[in-house]
Amino acid sequence: MASPEIRVFNTLQQAKVPLQPVTPGKVGIYVCGPTVYSFVHIGNARTFTSFDTVVRYLRYRGFEVKYVRNYTDVDDKIIKAAKETGEDAIALAARFVREFEADAKQLRLLPPDVSPKVSETIPEIVAIIEKLVARGTAYASGGDVYFEVRKYPGYLKLSKRNLDDLIAGAGERELVGEQKRDPLDFALWKAAKPGEPSWPSPWGAGRPGWHIECSAMSAKYLGETFDLHGGGLDLIFPHHENEIAQSEAASGKTLCNCWMHGGFLDLEGAKMSKSLGNVVRLRDALEKVDAEALRYFFLSTHYRQQLAFTDKSLADAEARMGYFYETLKKVDERIAGKEFGAGPLHGDPQRFLVEFDEQVSDDFNFPGGLGALSGLFGEFNALTDPKSPVKDKAVVGRTLVALREVARKIAGALGLFETDAAEWLLRHRDRLVIARGIDAKKVQEMVAARDAARAAKNYAESDRIRAEAKAMGVELMDSPTGTTWKIAA
């Protein structure tokens, strides 16, 4: 069966459009990366996780993907932070690049194929500005260079804003300290100021404006026209709007064939003090919430929709991951090292892949993809249930093996289940033990006592110990190798 066509919601057209790469079989994607003046927060992390999973799915579908996610390491916020700490601005940015990469690794974000920095792209930035000045769509003024908005007829086509409304809303703040012809014109190059990083240019020493940076980096690594451009909703205006204007005015070509924007993370109402100590930095969240559970949480709502960040939603995501890993552990123990021979299967394991593709190919509907995964795990549990109607052990074994391979493919496309199941479950249990104040040493003593009671066939004592553990919030589980335990849901 042929894979379904991938359709993507294009912000520019406000409609879903077929993915039609510039070069068949290849996809170039540019995602606006972090401005590295501090630690990445969970809102950014959601956006980066969404596009990381877009890249994974496209590769799963067989596309050769070139993924570019930049670092903005020259910016007003960086300069301000450097002044506050007494650091060199470029050194501070480099430090937070390293911190971001450590956090991204925890969240299992794939390293992009290229991670360009503004500080390393200055010649390309200057070249685009020179072209815009030569074409009359930009002008120099007092060492600054500005893009003349009125010279680009397509301005505001992405954000669907009204130029007259913007003009009416423009006040003195847009003119203070600047020598623009129009309050709406935006900076391409800023004249050097004492204590700030600067580079030579035809207009004097200075540094680039924010928007021109991404135009130069995307063109350098993906060409003047590429397939997908991603970022958060907050970047539509002015950042992406200005990117389009300056890039297309310079090249005369369409900058990007499809614009994708991720929804906001809503912190309102979240009882952050209960589980996260009123902090929303990614690394602080990861001290309290399992990284894969956080990734699952991000993917559980469509990337374009607002996602509510609450204690309960995080706890639910972690509990769900616990269910998945417990199931995988059970299945892997059932099939490990065994041969089930050739023969019929129960049902069609491939139907879950078909459902997964049908869901995710529709504008990267990852929640729908997770639904297909949940159905697969339901099948795992139905087949391993002692009351399963499928009694032929060979049929069950072959089917579990086939389903396990399907699970690996789907998990790989989502960036999930990359940890050994037993390791994940133990780590999860240990975290809950601390959070709930459970005496783990006492539980281990109860486990040993229960094993002894079962060996002596003292089932009344065995049941008493189980009940005592349950009252503590602990579930004791029997297995061929002895009693194990977990924190009760």
Side-chain angles (χ1 to χ4, degrees):
M1 181 177 176
S3 297
E5 177 183 62
I6 296 176
R7 297 180 66 81
V8 188
F9 185 86
N10 187 349
T11 306
L12 183 63
Q13 295 175 250
Q14 287 294 293
K16 293 178 186 177
V17 299
L19 176 63
Q20 297 177 325
V22 174
T23 303
K26 299 182 179 182
V27 175
I29 178 170
Y30 183 90
V31 173
C32 289
T35 299
V36 282
Y37 67 97
S38 184
F39 295 98
V40 65
H41 61 71
I42 54 174
N44 296 141
R46 185 208 178 182
T47 298
F48 298 142
T49 300
S50 295
F51 289 107
D52 173 86
T53 317
V54 166
V55 170
R56 287 174 182 269
Y57 181 70
L58 291 172
R59 287 175 176 161
Y60 158 83
R61 284 290 300 268
F63 289 96
E64 181 183 330
V65 181
K66 186 171 185 179
Y67 176 29
V68 181
R69 188 190 65 216
N70 76 292
Y71 289 113
T72 297
D73 66 343
V74 179
D75 183 80
D76 292 340
K77 293 178 181 178
I78 296 170
I79 293 169
K80 180 175 182 293
K83 288 179 179 177
E84 291 172 353
T85 62
E87 290 180 78
D88 173 78
I90 297 298
L92 179 140
R95 175 164 65 88
F96 280 113
V97 165
R98 294 191 295 271
E99 299 289 5
F100 174 84
E101 290 177 347
D103 289 348
K105 185 176 182 180
Q106 276 203 76
L107 198 54
R108 290 167 172 76
L109 300 183
L110 296 170
D113 297 293
V114 188
S115 299
K117 298 183 178 73
V118 174
S119 60
E120 299 169 353
T121 320
I122 300 298
E124 291 81 2
I125 291 170
V126 169
I128 294 178
I129 299 174
E130 286 183 304
K131 189 179 290 186
L132 290 168
V133 171
R135 293 189 173 185
T137 49
Y139 58 93
S141 178
D144 297 336
V145 182
Y146 297 98
F147 184 86
E148 193 163 2
V149 165
R150 295 179 188 275
K151 292 287 184 69
Y152 178 70
Y155 194 60
L156 303 180
K157 65 182 179 180
L158 180 68
S159 61
K160 309 297 187 288
R161 296 193 179 202
N162 181 280
L163 191 61
D164 291 335
D165 290 343
L166 287 179
I167 293 170
E172 290 185 3
R173 67 180 178 82
E174 282 86 355
L175 294 170
V176 173
E178 298 178 337
Q179 302 177 61
K180 298 192 280 189
R181 295 175 184 173
D182 189 301
L184 300 183
D185 294 347
F186 58 87
L188 301 172
W189 188 261
K190 299 180 179 182
K193 295 177 183 177
E196 295 186 356
S198 64
W199 292 264
S201 82
W203 315 284
R207 60 185 174 89
W210 175 31
H211 315 299
I212 195 66
E213 298 170 346
C214 283
S215 287
M217 289 183 283
S218 64
K220 180 176 181 178
Y221 295 102
L222 295 174
E224 292 177 321
T225 300
F226 55 93
D227 301 301
L228 299 173
H229 194 314
L233 280 174
D234 56 318
L235 296 183
I236 293 176
F237 184 87
H239 187 50
H240 289 164
E241 193 73 73
N242 292 354
E243 271 190 68
I244 291 174
Q246 63 205 9
S247 292
E248 296 187 355
S251 70
K253 301 175 183 178
T254 298
L255 168 59
C256 173
N257 286 334
C258 187
W259 289 85
M260 299 176 63
H261 292 95
F264 295 123
L265 190 68
D266 176 23
L267 300 176
E268 242 181 86
K271 297 177 182 177
M272 302 296 286
S273 58
K274 179 180 177 184
S275 63
L276 299 176
N278 287 321
V279 293
V280 293
R281 301 188 311 182
L282 173 60
R283 63 175 42 189
D284 292 314
L286 290 176
E287 288 183 1
K288 304 294 183 180
V289 182
D290 176 76
E292 280 190 85
L294 185 60
R295 185 181 181 95
Y296 177 89
F297 167 67
F298 287 149
L299 297 178
S300 65
T301 296
H302 193 277
Y303 78 91
R304 288 193 287 113
Q305 304 302 314
Q306 182 169 287
L307 174 60
F309 187 88
T310 67
D311 291 328
K312 184 179 185 306
S313 59
L314 293 177
D316 288 347
E318 193 152 12
R320 190 64 175 160
M321 288 301 298
Y323 159 79
F324 286 136
Y325 269 118
E326 284 179 357
T327 302
L328 287 177
K329 183 173 181 291
K330 177 173 57 178
V331 169
D332 288 345
E333 288 173 348
R334 181 81 173 260
I335 64 178
K338 297 178 182 176
E339 294 291 337
F340 300 101
L345 302 176
H346 175 69
D348 178 15
Q350 298 301 310
R351 72 186 186 277
F352 295 107
L353 276 180
V354 172
E355 181 186 351
F356 178 74
D357 274 341
E358 287 175 347
Q359 293 292 331
V360 182
S361 63
D362 181 12
D363 192 28
F364 302 106
N365 178 14
F366 298 126
L370 290 173
L373 191 68
S374 294
L376 190 157
F377 274 72
E379 188 78 351
F380 272 148
N381 283 302
L383 287 170
T384 53
D385 191 317
K387 298 178 182 179
S388 171
V390 186
K391 302 302 181 184
D392 188 319
K393 292 184 178 180
V395 170
V396 170
R398 286 192 295 270
T399 306
L400 289 175
V401 170
L403 287 169
R404 188 67 179 89
E405 184 56 30
V406 170
R408 286 191 183 92
K409 290 179 180 179
I410 293 177
L414 296 174
L416 296 174
F417 312 140
E418 297 180 347
T419 306
D420 174 75
E423 177 188 334
W424 191 96
L425 290 167
L426 182 60
R427 191 173 65 222
H428 175 58
R429 189 186 74 182
D430 290 346
R431 185 164 50 252
L432 291 179
V433 163
I434 294 171
R436 299 185 185 181
I438 292 172
D439 186 341
K441 182 179 179 181
K442 182 178 179 181
V443 174
Q444 288 298 144
E445 291 171 351
M446 294 168 71
V447 166
R450 187 164 187 273
D451 279 339
R454 292 180 69 212
K457 297 185 178 181
N458 187 348
Y459 299 119
E461 176 65 4
S462 173
D463 289 345
R464 186 198 68 76
I465 295 171
R466 182 196 287 272
E468 182 183 354
K470 185 176 181 180
M472 292 172 58
V474 172
E475 181 180 347
L476 301 184
M477 301 170 292
D478 300 327
S479 73
T481 58
T483 301
T484 59
W485 63 281
K486 69 175 183 178
I487 306 301

